[in-house]
């Protein structure tokens, strides 16, 4: 009971107690007296009784209750302090036990202690000293790795906050503050749900401070790469792209022991900037979330996982966060090897409305299990995101990697890969601009009217279709492509996989793909595939029947970025339609389509959840061949002209039985399907049979 509200007065005749509520003035006077004298004598109580109009007995009882209440509050406060101290000691004990498990005795090489030794105070002190020596050795290793002495490491505690000052030294931009307060919570955190397929091992407490230091240095370097122009970056006289001057870079960023240990290594470095139709904070959150990272770049990122969150950032924002991540990057063709990176990604605001996101590869022994013997190494890379008016953001992107020369790349793709366009900053930003428009800009429709919920549902379904197509066309390690005798040095590639997802037909799916070179610009090839009036010239399965566009939804500023619902004319298939999405930007184009029945499209049009609707996407990817007009190359037989790399891919349900195997009939069917499609495309575009 609060002594300031109600005062219960005992009844001497044993009847039910009466409750008396004091007035605010009485409470204020009593509290003032209590602060001055918790134990008033009888004279003081009588004076209070006269002043406040209360009985002396009520005054006496109020002070008794108030003293009891104060003592109880003090006891609770003392208990909380003791409990906190106890928890702190317990956490330190647990941390010490976990750390000691990995300590090896330097003299005999055996485990430094047994379980019983944890209860011996003298042995604990010895082990604590040994741990400090171990930490000094790790710091020495890290110093050799970073090429400079380590700064003071944050304390190794199970729960602690480390504040790092990431000042950029002599390259400060007067418009941007480079004092970075990176608040990193150094504790084990559960990985994202998308990391369940990876072998998981928690990062040790000794490795975490080193990773924080690496992230700090990477962020420092990315800011300098973004802000510094000549002599670090020079403009190309051919296409105006920024070219990194490697000698200047090596002088500016001295780093030892940081190169790939392969004989044939080349550097790819690029920088570009663009304005995107998305506010900066939303974009930052998507960049720091591995699942959203895949959705934002479906044509580039085939897989991404968050291995461990080392710093969770501020509440409700990714700002100030640090994560150990894994990604697999692809070119949309089954013949180009993917690139795998295990890397640290950190995000930090550097002034009001400006953020930096920095990546750097990690090659600690515990990280090798995620990207074993990687032939790609990400040097400090990332982007600077500046908030602009009206929900826009300016993004400056830097890509900087070391790649082992790979003889497995077919001649068709050699020019594209050597040009650096396949994974360069220009491709990342072009894709980012297009996807931000898709997510942020209002969709415009033509043809059959569709409700707002219906458009949103159709865009979700089309996005899932494109994501599925991109995930199944690349050379990911998840796919075991088999090469059939082919049309060129690439050939027709086929692979099987079992489908149990609600968004795909259940059974065994057969994917088949090939890539051809066409001496036609990518823009012309994309226009040919997008136009429903020319569909009969390449769609073998249409049986020569033309199609009509029923609904058209634009999802970007470029007229080629759209979702269409197509219906066959005089096809006799009145129950089936074709859902198609066309995507194009400066880096390339994609045309993806899938048959869908009328009942399913009615569900979509009504705005219901489309996640259960099965789709089996097929389509085309169109990439530039990587050569400037007029350039000669041994990669393409038609020297002196630039063209397009077109990948044709089909998915078919081979069998509804999950145990089905690849058979000769299926191989013959899909080989014939792709061969006929390629021949019809060349004929329609008047291309020689090369």
């Amino acid at each position: 009971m609060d002594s300031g509200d109600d005062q219960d007065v005992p009844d001497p005749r044993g009847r039910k107690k009466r409750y008396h509520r004091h007035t605010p003035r009485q409470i204020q006077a009593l509290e003032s007296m209590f602060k001055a004298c918790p134990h008033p004598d009888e004279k003081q109580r009588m004076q209070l009784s006269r002043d406040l109009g209360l009985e002396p007995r009520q005054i006496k009882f109020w002070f008794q209750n108030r003293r009891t209440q104060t003592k109880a509050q003090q006891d609770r406060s003392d208990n909380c302090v003791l409990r906190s101290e106890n928890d702190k000691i317990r956490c330190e004990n647990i941390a010490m036990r976990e750390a000691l498990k990995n300590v090896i005795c330097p003299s005999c090489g055996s485990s430094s202690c047994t379980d019983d030794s944890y209860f011996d105070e003298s042995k604990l002190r010895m082990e604590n000293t040994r741990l400090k020596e171990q930490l000094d050795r790790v710091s020495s290793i890290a110093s050799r790795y970073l090429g400079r002495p380590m700064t003071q490491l944050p304390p190794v505690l199970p729960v602690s906050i480390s504040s790092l000052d990431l000042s950029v030294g002599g390259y400060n931009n007067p418009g941007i503050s480079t004092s970075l307060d990176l608040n990193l919570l150094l504790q084990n955190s559960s990985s994202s749900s998308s990391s369940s397929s990876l072998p998981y091992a928690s990062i040790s407490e000794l490795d975490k401070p080193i990773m924080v230091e690496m992230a700090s240095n990477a962020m420092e370097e990315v800011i300098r790469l973004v802000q510094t122009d000549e002599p670090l970056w020079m403009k190309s006289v051919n296409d105006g792209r920024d070219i990194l001057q490697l000698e200047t870079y090596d002088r500016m960023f001295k780093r030892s022991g940081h190169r790939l240990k392969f004989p044939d290594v080349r550097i790819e470095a690029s920088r570009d900037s663009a304005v995107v139709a998305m506010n900066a904070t939303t974009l930052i959150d998507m960049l720091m979330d591995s699942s959203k990272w895949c959705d934002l770049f479906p044509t580039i990122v085939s897989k991404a996982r968050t291995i461990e969150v080392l710093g969770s950032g501020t509440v409700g924002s990714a700002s100030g966060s640090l994560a150990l991540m894994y990604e697999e990057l692809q070119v949309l063709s089954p013949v180009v090897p993917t690139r795998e990176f295990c890397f640290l990604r950190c995000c930090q605001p550097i002034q009001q409305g400006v953020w930096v996101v920095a990546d750097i590869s990690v090659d600690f022994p515990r990280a090798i299990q995620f990207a074993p013997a990687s032939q790609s190494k990400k040097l400090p890379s990332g982007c600077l995101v500046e908030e602009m008016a009206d929900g826009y953001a300016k993004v400056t992107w830097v890509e900087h990697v070391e790649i082992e020369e790979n003889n497995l790349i077919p001649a068709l793709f050699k020019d594209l890969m050597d040009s650096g366009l396949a994974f360069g900053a220009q491709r990342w930003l072009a894709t980012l601009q297009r996807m931000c428009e898709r997510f942020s800009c209002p969709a415009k429709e033509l043809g059959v009217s569709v409700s707002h919920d219906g458009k949103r549902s159709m865009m979700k379904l089309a996005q899932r279709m494109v994501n599925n197509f991109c995930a199944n066309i690349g050379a990911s390690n998840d796919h075991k492509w088999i090469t059939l005798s082919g049309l060129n040095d690439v050939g027709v590639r086929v692979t099987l996989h079992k489908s149990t997802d609600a968004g795909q037909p259940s059974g065994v799916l057969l994917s088949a793909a090939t890539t051809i070179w066409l001496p036609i610009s990518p823009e012309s090839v994309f226009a040919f595939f997008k136009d429903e009036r020319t569909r009969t010239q390449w769609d073998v399965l249409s049986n020569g029947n033309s199609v009509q566009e029923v609904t058209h939804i634009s999802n970007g500023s470029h007229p080629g970025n759209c979702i269409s619902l197509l219906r066959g004319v005089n096809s006799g298939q009145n129950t089936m339609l074709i859902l198609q999405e066309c995507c194009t930007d400066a880096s390339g184009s994609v045309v993806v389509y899938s048959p869908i029945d009328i009942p399913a499209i009615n569900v979509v049009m009504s705005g219901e959840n489309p996640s259960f609707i099965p789709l089996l996407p097929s389509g085309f990817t169109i990439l530039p061949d990587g050569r400037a007009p007029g350039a000669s190359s041994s990669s393409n037989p038609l020297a002196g002209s630039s063209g397009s790399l077109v990948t044709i891919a089909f998915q078919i349900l081979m069998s509804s039985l999950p145990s089905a195997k690849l058979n000769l009939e299926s191989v013959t069917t899909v080989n014939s399907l792709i061969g006929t499609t390629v021949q019809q495309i060349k004929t329609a575009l008047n291309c020689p049979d090369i």
Side-chain angles (χ1 to χ4, degrees), residues 87-134:
D87 290 342
K88 181 179 179 181
I89 294 172
R90 184 183 296 108
C91 289
E92 291 177 351
N93 189 22
I94 292 173
M96 195 176 299
R97 292 190 186 191
E98 291 298 321
L100 287 174
K101 289 180 181 178
N102 299 322
V103 174
I104 303 300
C105 177
S107 59
C108 65
S110 62
S111 178
S112 61
C113 60
T114 63
D115 292 339
D116 292 339
S117 65
Y118 290 124
F119 303 99
D120 190 315
E121 182 178 354
S122 61
K123 289 185 178 180
L124 280 176
R125 294 183 185 278
M126 293 172 60
E127 296 306 331
N128 190 33
T129 302
R130 194 169 295 172
L131 278 176
K132 290 180 180 179
E133 295 174 355
Q134 177 78 0

Short mmCIF file of all heavy atoms in Angstrom, two decimals, residues 87-134:
data_model
loop_
_atom_site.label_atom_id
_atom_site.label_comp_id
_atom_site.label_asym_id
_atom_site.label_seq_id
_atom_site.Cartn_x
_atom_site.Cartn_y
_atom_site.Cartn_z
N ASP A 87 25.25 -11.69 -11.73
CA ASP A 87 25.13 -12.02 -13.15
C ASP A 87 26.42 -11.67 -13.90
O ASP A 87 26.85 -12.41 -14.79
CB ASP A 87 23.95 -11.26 -13.77
CG ASP A 87 22.60 -11.77 -13.27
OD1 ASP A 87 22.57 -12.90 -12.74
OD2 ASP A 87 21.60 -11.04 -13.42
N LYS A 88 27.01 -10.54 -13.53
CA LYS A 88 28.25 -10.14 -14.19
C LYS A 88 29.36 -11.15 -13.92
O LYS A 88 30.09 -11.55 -14.83
CB LYS A 88 28.66 -8.75 -13.69
CG LYS A 88 29.94 -8.22 -14.33
CD LYS A 88 30.26 -6.84 -13.81
CE LYS A 88 31.56 -6.34 -14.43
NZ LYS A 88 31.91 -4.99 -13.93
N ILE A 89 29.47 -11.57 -12.66
CA ILE A 89 30.49 -12.57 -12.32
C ILE A 89 30.22 -13.88 -13.05
O ILE A 89 31.14 -14.54 -13.55
CB ILE A 89 30.52 -12.79 -10.80
CG1 ILE A 89 31.01 -11.51 -10.09
CG2 ILE A 89 31.41 -13.97 -10.43
CD1 ILE A 89 30.90 -11.55 -8.59
N ARG A 90 28.92 -14.27 -13.13
CA ARG A 90 28.58 -15.51 -13.83
C ARG A 90 28.95 -15.43 -15.31
O ARG A 90 29.49 -16.37 -15.89
CB ARG A 90 27.09 -15.81 -13.67
CG ARG A 90 26.69 -17.15 -14.29
CD ARG A 90 25.19 -17.42 -14.19
NE ARG A 90 24.74 -17.53 -12.82
CZ ARG A 90 24.03 -16.63 -12.17
NH1 ARG A 90 23.66 -15.52 -12.80
NH2 ARG A 90 23.66 -16.80 -10.92
N CYS A 91 28.65 -14.26 -15.95
CA CYS A 91 28.98 -14.09 -17.36
C CYS A 91 30.49 -14.14 -17.59
O CYS A 91 30.97 -14.76 -18.55
CB CYS A 91 28.41 -12.77 -17.88
SG CYS A 91 26.63 -12.75 -18.07
N GLU A 92 31.25 -13.50 -16.68
CA GLU A 92 32.70 -13.53 -16.81
C GLU A 92 33.22 -14.95 -16.65
O GLU A 92 34.15 -15.38 -17.35
CB GLU A 92 33.32 -12.61 -15.77
CG GLU A 92 33.07 -11.13 -16.03
CD GLU A 92 33.64 -10.24 -14.94
OE1 GLU A 92 34.08 -10.81 -13.91
OE2 GLU A 92 33.64 -9.01 -15.11
N ASN A 93 32.61 -15.69 -15.75
CA ASN A 93 33.03 -17.08 -15.53
C ASN A 93 32.76 -17.92 -16.77
O ASN A 93 33.60 -18.71 -17.21
CB ASN A 93 32.27 -17.64 -14.32
CG ASN A 93 32.81 -19.01 -13.90
OD1 ASN A 93 33.95 -19.35 -14.20
ND2 ASN A 93 31.98 -19.79 -13.23
N ILE A 94 31.54 -17.72 -17.36
CA ILE A 94 31.19 -18.47 -18.57
C ILE A 94 32.13 -18.11 -19.71
O ILE A 94 32.61 -18.98 -20.46
CB ILE A 94 29.72 -18.21 -18.96
CG1 ILE A 94 28.78 -18.81 -17.90
CG2 ILE A 94 29.40 -18.78 -20.32
CD1 ILE A 94 27.32 -18.44 -18.11
N ALA A 95 32.39 -16.79 -19.89
CA ALA A 95 33.28 -16.35 -20.96
C ALA A 95 34.67 -16.93 -20.79
O ALA A 95 35.32 -17.36 -21.75
CB ALA A 95 33.34 -14.82 -20.98
N MET A 96 35.14 -16.96 -19.53
CA MET A 96 36.46 -17.51 -19.26
C MET A 96 36.52 -18.99 -19.58
O MET A 96 37.46 -19.50 -20.16
CB MET A 96 36.84 -17.23 -17.80
CG MET A 96 38.31 -17.43 -17.49
SD MET A 96 38.70 -16.99 -15.78
CE MET A 96 38.22 -15.27 -15.78
N ARG A 97 35.43 -19.70 -19.23
CA ARG A 97 35.40 -21.14 -19.53
C ARG A 97 35.43 -21.39 -21.03
O ARG A 97 36.16 -22.26 -21.51
CB ARG A 97 34.15 -21.76 -18.92
CG ARG A 97 34.14 -21.78 -17.40
CD ARG A 97 32.99 -22.62 -16.89
NE ARG A 97 32.86 -22.56 -15.45
CZ ARG A 97 32.08 -23.37 -14.74
NH1 ARG A 97 31.36 -24.28 -15.38
NH2 ARG A 97 32.01 -23.28 -13.43
N GLU A 98 34.59 -20.61 -21.76
CA GLU A 98 34.54 -20.82 -23.21
C GLU A 98 35.88 -20.50 -23.85
O GLU A 98 36.34 -21.19 -24.75
CB GLU A 98 33.44 -19.94 -23.82
CG GLU A 98 32.03 -20.36 -23.46
CD GLU A 98 31.71 -21.76 -23.96
OE1 GLU A 98 32.15 -22.10 -25.08
OE2 GLU A 98 31.07 -22.53 -23.23
N ALA A 99 36.52 -19.42 -23.40
CA ALA A 99 37.81 -19.04 -23.97
C ALA A 99 38.88 -20.07 -23.65
O ALA A 99 39.73 -20.39 -24.48
CB ALA A 99 38.22 -17.66 -23.45
N LEU A 100 38.85 -20.61 -22.44
CA LEU A 100 39.87 -21.57 -22.03
C LEU A 100 39.77 -22.88 -22.79
O LEU A 100 40.74 -23.64 -22.87
CB LEU A 100 39.75 -21.83 -20.53
CG LEU A 100 40.24 -20.70 -19.60
CD1 LEU A 100 39.94 -21.02 -18.16
CD2 LEU A 100 41.72 -20.46 -19.80
N LYS A 101 38.57 -23.17 -23.34
CA LYS A 101 38.43 -24.44 -24.07
C LYS A 101 39.34 -24.50 -25.28
O LYS A 101 39.75 -25.57 -25.71
CB LYS A 101 36.97 -24.61 -24.51
CG LYS A 101 36.01 -24.91 -23.37
CD LYS A 101 34.59 -25.08 -23.90
CE LYS A 101 33.62 -25.36 -22.76
NZ LYS A 101 32.22 -25.49 -23.24
N ASN A 102 39.63 -23.32 -25.89
CA ASN A 102 40.42 -23.28 -27.11
C ASN A 102 41.89 -22.98 -26.87
O ASN A 102 42.66 -22.86 -27.82
CB ASN A 102 39.85 -22.23 -28.07
CG ASN A 102 38.42 -22.54 -28.46
OD1 ASN A 102 38.08 -23.70 -28.67
ND2 ASN A 102 37.59 -21.51 -28.57
N VAL A 103 42.29 -22.80 -25.62
CA VAL A 103 43.67 -22.45 -25.32
C VAL A 103 44.53 -23.71 -25.28
O VAL A 103 44.15 -24.71 -24.67
CB VAL A 103 43.75 -21.69 -23.97
CG1 VAL A 103 45.21 -21.44 -23.60
CG2 VAL A 103 43.01 -20.38 -24.08
N ILE A 104 45.65 -23.64 -25.96
CA ILE A 104 46.60 -24.76 -25.98
C ILE A 104 47.84 -24.37 -25.19
O ILE A 104 48.36 -23.25 -25.33
CB ILE A 104 46.99 -25.11 -27.43
CG1 ILE A 104 45.73 -25.44 -28.25
CG2 ILE A 104 47.97 -26.27 -27.46
CD1 ILE A 104 44.95 -26.61 -27.70
N CYS A 105 48.29 -25.28 -24.38
CA CYS A 105 49.48 -25.02 -23.56
C CYS A 105 50.68 -24.83 -24.49
O CYS A 105 50.98 -25.71 -25.31
CB CYS A 105 49.72 -26.18 -22.61
SG CYS A 105 51.22 -26.00 -21.62
N PRO A 106 51.41 -23.71 -24.40
CA PRO A 106 52.54 -23.47 -25.31
C PRO A 106 53.71 -24.41 -25.09
O PRO A 106 54.53 -24.60 -25.97
CB PRO A 106 52.94 -22.01 -25.01
CG PRO A 106 52.43 -21.75 -23.61
CD PRO A 106 51.20 -22.59 -23.46
N SER A 107 53.81 -25.01 -23.93
CA SER A 107 54.96 -25.88 -23.64
C SER A 107 54.74 -27.31 -24.07
O SER A 107 55.62 -27.95 -24.62
CB SER A 107 55.28 -25.82 -22.13
OG SER A 107 54.14 -26.23 -21.39
N CYS A 108 53.52 -27.83 -23.83
CA CYS A 108 53.28 -29.25 -24.14
C CYS A 108 52.28 -29.46 -25.26
O CYS A 108 52.14 -30.58 -25.77
CB CYS A 108 52.79 -29.99 -22.89
SG CYS A 108 51.16 -29.43 -22.31
N GLY A 109 51.56 -28.40 -25.67
CA GLY A 109 50.61 -28.53 -26.77
C GLY A 109 49.31 -29.17 -26.41
O GLY A 109 48.46 -29.40 -27.27
N SER A 110 49.08 -29.48 -25.14
CA SER A 110 47.84 -30.12 -24.73
C SER A 110 46.87 -29.07 -24.20
O SER A 110 47.20 -27.90 -24.08
CB SER A 110 48.12 -31.17 -23.64
OG SER A 110 48.66 -30.55 -22.51
N SER A 111 45.66 -29.55 -23.90
CA SER A 111 44.66 -28.65 -23.34
C SER A 111 45.17 -28.06 -22.04
O SER A 111 45.81 -28.73 -21.23
CB SER A 111 43.36 -29.41 -23.09
OG SER A 111 42.40 -28.56 -22.52
N SER A 112 44.88 -26.76 -21.85
CA SER A 112 45.49 -26.05 -20.74
C SER A 112 44.89 -26.38 -19.39
O SER A 112 45.46 -26.07 -18.37
CB SER A 112 45.40 -24.54 -20.98
OG SER A 112 44.04 -24.17 -21.07
N CYS A 113 43.68 -26.94 -19.37
CA CYS A 113 43.05 -27.19 -18.08
C CYS A 113 41.96 -28.22 -18.23
O CYS A 113 41.54 -28.55 -19.32
CB CYS A 113 42.48 -25.91 -17.49
SG CYS A 113 41.24 -25.14 -18.54
N THR A 114 41.52 -28.70 -17.14
CA THR A 114 40.39 -29.63 -17.10
C THR A 114 39.22 -28.93 -16.46
O THR A 114 39.32 -27.83 -15.95
CB THR A 114 40.75 -30.90 -16.29
OG1 THR A 114 41.02 -30.48 -14.95
CG2 THR A 114 41.98 -31.59 -16.86
N ASP A 115 38.05 -29.57 -16.48
CA ASP A 115 36.86 -28.96 -15.91
C ASP A 115 37.02 -28.66 -14.43
O ASP A 115 36.51 -27.66 -13.93
CB ASP A 115 35.66 -29.89 -16.11
CG ASP A 115 35.28 -29.98 -17.58
OD1 ASP A 115 35.67 -29.06 -18.34
OD2 ASP A 115 34.61 -30.96 -17.95
N ASP A 116 37.77 -29.51 -13.71
CA ASP A 116 37.90 -29.31 -12.28
C ASP A 116 38.71 -28.05 -11.96
O ASP A 116 38.54 -27.45 -10.90
CB ASP A 116 38.58 -30.53 -11.62
CG ASP A 116 37.67 -31.75 -11.69
OD1 ASP A 116 36.44 -31.56 -11.84
OD2 ASP A 116 38.19 -32.87 -11.58
N SER A 117 39.59 -27.66 -12.90
CA SER A 117 40.46 -26.52 -12.60
C SER A 117 39.71 -25.21 -12.56
O SER A 117 40.24 -24.22 -12.06
CB SER A 117 41.57 -26.44 -13.65
OG SER A 117 41.02 -26.15 -14.92
N TYR A 118 38.48 -25.17 -13.09
CA TYR A 118 37.70 -23.94 -13.06
C TYR A 118 37.38 -23.52 -11.63
O TYR A 118 37.07 -22.36 -11.38
CB TYR A 118 36.40 -24.11 -13.86
CG TYR A 118 36.62 -24.22 -15.33
CD1 TYR A 118 36.15 -25.33 -16.02
CD2 TYR A 118 37.29 -23.23 -16.04
CE1 TYR A 118 36.35 -25.44 -17.38
CE2 TYR A 118 37.49 -23.33 -17.39
CZ TYR A 118 37.02 -24.43 -18.07
OH TYR A 118 37.20 -24.54 -19.41
N PHE A 119 37.40 -24.45 -10.72
CA PHE A 119 37.03 -24.15 -9.35
C PHE A 119 38.24 -23.88 -8.45
O PHE A 119 38.11 -23.74 -7.26
CB PHE A 119 36.21 -25.31 -8.78
CG PHE A 119 34.99 -25.59 -9.59
CD1 PHE A 119 34.98 -26.62 -10.51
CD2 PHE A 119 33.85 -24.81 -9.46
CE1 PHE A 119 33.86 -26.88 -11.28
CE2 PHE A 119 32.73 -25.06 -10.22
CZ PHE A 119 32.73 -26.09 -11.14
N ASP A 120 39.40 -23.83 -9.06
CA ASP A 120 40.62 -23.54 -8.32
C ASP A 120 41.03 -22.11 -8.65
O ASP A 120 41.39 -21.79 -9.77
CB ASP A 120 41.73 -24.52 -8.74
CG ASP A 120 42.94 -24.41 -7.84
OD1 ASP A 120 43.36 -23.28 -7.55
OD2 ASP A 120 43.46 -25.46 -7.43
N GLU A 121 41.00 -21.23 -7.66
CA GLU A 121 41.24 -19.81 -7.91
C GLU A 121 42.63 -19.56 -8.45
O GLU A 121 42.82 -18.75 -9.37
CB GLU A 121 41.02 -19.02 -6.61
CG GLU A 121 41.20 -17.53 -6.79
CD GLU A 121 40.94 -16.77 -5.50
OE1 GLU A 121 40.52 -17.41 -4.52
OE2 GLU A 121 41.16 -15.56 -5.51
N SER A 122 43.62 -20.23 -7.91
CA SER A 122 44.99 -19.98 -8.36
C SER A 122 45.16 -20.39 -9.82
O SER A 122 45.83 -19.70 -10.60
CB SER A 122 45.98 -20.76 -7.47
OG SER A 122 45.74 -22.15 -7.55
N LYS A 123 44.54 -21.53 -10.20
CA LYS A 123 44.65 -21.97 -11.59
C LYS A 123 43.91 -21.02 -12.53
O LYS A 123 44.34 -20.77 -13.66
CB LYS A 123 44.11 -23.39 -11.74
CG LYS A 123 45.01 -24.45 -11.11
CD LYS A 123 44.50 -25.85 -11.39
CE LYS A 123 45.45 -26.89 -10.80
NZ LYS A 123 44.97 -28.27 -11.07
N LEU A 124 42.78 -20.49 -12.05
CA LEU A 124 42.05 -19.52 -12.87
C LEU A 124 42.91 -18.30 -13.16
O LEU A 124 42.90 -17.76 -14.27
CB LEU A 124 40.76 -19.11 -12.17
CG LEU A 124 39.57 -20.07 -12.29
CD1 LEU A 124 38.40 -19.56 -11.47
CD2 LEU A 124 39.15 -20.22 -13.75
N ARG A 125 43.64 -17.83 -12.15
CA ARG A 125 44.51 -16.67 -12.35
C ARG A 125 45.61 -16.99 -13.37
O ARG A 125 45.96 -16.17 -14.21
CB ARG A 125 45.12 -16.24 -11.02
CG ARG A 125 44.11 -15.71 -10.03
CD ARG A 125 44.79 -15.24 -8.74
NE ARG A 125 43.81 -14.83 -7.74
CZ ARG A 125 43.23 -13.64 -7.71
NH1 ARG A 125 43.55 -12.74 -8.64
NH2 ARG A 125 42.36 -13.34 -6.77
N MET A 126 46.15 -18.20 -13.29
CA MET A 126 47.17 -18.60 -14.24
C MET A 126 46.62 -18.65 -15.66
O MET A 126 47.25 -18.19 -16.62
CB MET A 126 47.75 -19.97 -13.84
CG MET A 126 48.54 -19.95 -12.53
SD MET A 126 49.00 -21.62 -11.99
CE MET A 126 49.98 -22.15 -13.38
N GLU A 127 45.42 -19.21 -15.79
CA GLU A 127 44.81 -19.31 -17.11
C GLU A 127 44.45 -17.93 -17.66
O GLU A 127 44.50 -17.69 -18.86
CB GLU A 127 43.57 -20.20 -17.06
CG GLU A 127 43.85 -21.64 -16.68
CD GLU A 127 44.90 -22.27 -17.57
OE1 GLU A 127 45.03 -21.87 -18.75
OE2 GLU A 127 45.62 -23.17 -17.10
N ASN A 128 44.08 -17.03 -16.78
CA ASN A 128 43.78 -15.67 -17.22
C ASN A 128 45.04 -15.00 -17.80
O ASN A 128 44.98 -14.33 -18.83
CB ASN A 128 43.24 -14.87 -16.04
CG ASN A 128 42.69 -13.53 -16.47
OD1 ASN A 128 42.16 -13.41 -17.56
ND2 ASN A 128 42.82 -12.53 -15.62
N THR A 129 46.16 -15.21 -17.14
CA THR A 129 47.43 -14.68 -17.65
C THR A 129 47.77 -15.30 -19.00
O THR A 129 48.22 -14.62 -19.93
CB THR A 129 48.56 -14.96 -16.64
OG1 THR A 129 48.23 -14.37 -15.38
CG2 THR A 129 49.87 -14.40 -17.15
N ARG A 130 47.52 -16.60 -19.11
CA ARG A 130 47.82 -17.30 -20.36
C ARG A 130 46.92 -16.80 -21.50
O ARG A 130 47.35 -16.67 -22.65
CB ARG A 130 47.63 -18.81 -20.15
CG ARG A 130 48.21 -19.66 -21.26
CD ARG A 130 48.23 -21.12 -20.86
NE ARG A 130 49.13 -21.36 -19.74
CZ ARG A 130 49.22 -22.52 -19.08
NH1 ARG A 130 48.44 -23.52 -19.43
NH2 ARG A 130 50.07 -22.65 -18.09
N LEU A 131 45.67 -16.49 -21.17
CA LEU A 131 44.75 -15.95 -22.18
C LEU A 131 45.23 -14.60 -22.70
O LEU A 131 45.12 -14.29 -23.89
CB LEU A 131 43.34 -15.82 -21.59
CG LEU A 131 42.48 -17.09 -21.58
CD1 LEU A 131 41.17 -16.80 -20.88
CD2 LEU A 131 42.23 -17.58 -22.99
N LYS A 132 45.73 -13.77 -21.79
CA LYS A 132 46.25 -12.47 -22.21
C LYS A 132 47.43 -12.64 -23.15
O LYS A 132 47.59 -11.91 -24.13
CB LYS A 132 46.65 -11.65 -20.99
CG LYS A 132 45.47 -11.18 -20.15
CD LYS A 132 45.92 -10.36 -18.95
CE LYS A 132 44.72 -9.90 -18.12
NZ LYS A 132 45.14 -9.13 -16.92
N GLU A 133 48.29 -13.62 -22.87
CA GLU A 133 49.41 -13.89 -23.77
C GLU A 133 48.91 -14.35 -25.13
O GLU A 133 49.45 -13.98 -26.18
CB GLU A 133 50.32 -14.95 -23.15
CG GLU A 133 51.02 -14.49 -21.87
CD GLU A 133 51.81 -15.61 -21.22
OE1 GLU A 133 51.71 -16.75 -21.72
OE2 GLU A 133 52.52 -15.35 -20.23
N GLN A 134 47.86 -15.19 -25.12
CA GLN A 134 47.27 -15.65 -26.37
C GLN A 134 46.71 -14.47 -27.17
O GLN A 134 46.86 -14.40 -28.39
CB GLN A 134 46.14 -16.65 -26.06
CG GLN A 134 45.39 -17.17 -27.29
CD GLN A 134 46.18 -18.22 -28.04
OE1 GLN A 134 47.29 -18.58 -27.63
NE2 GLN A 134 45.62 -18.70 -29.13
#
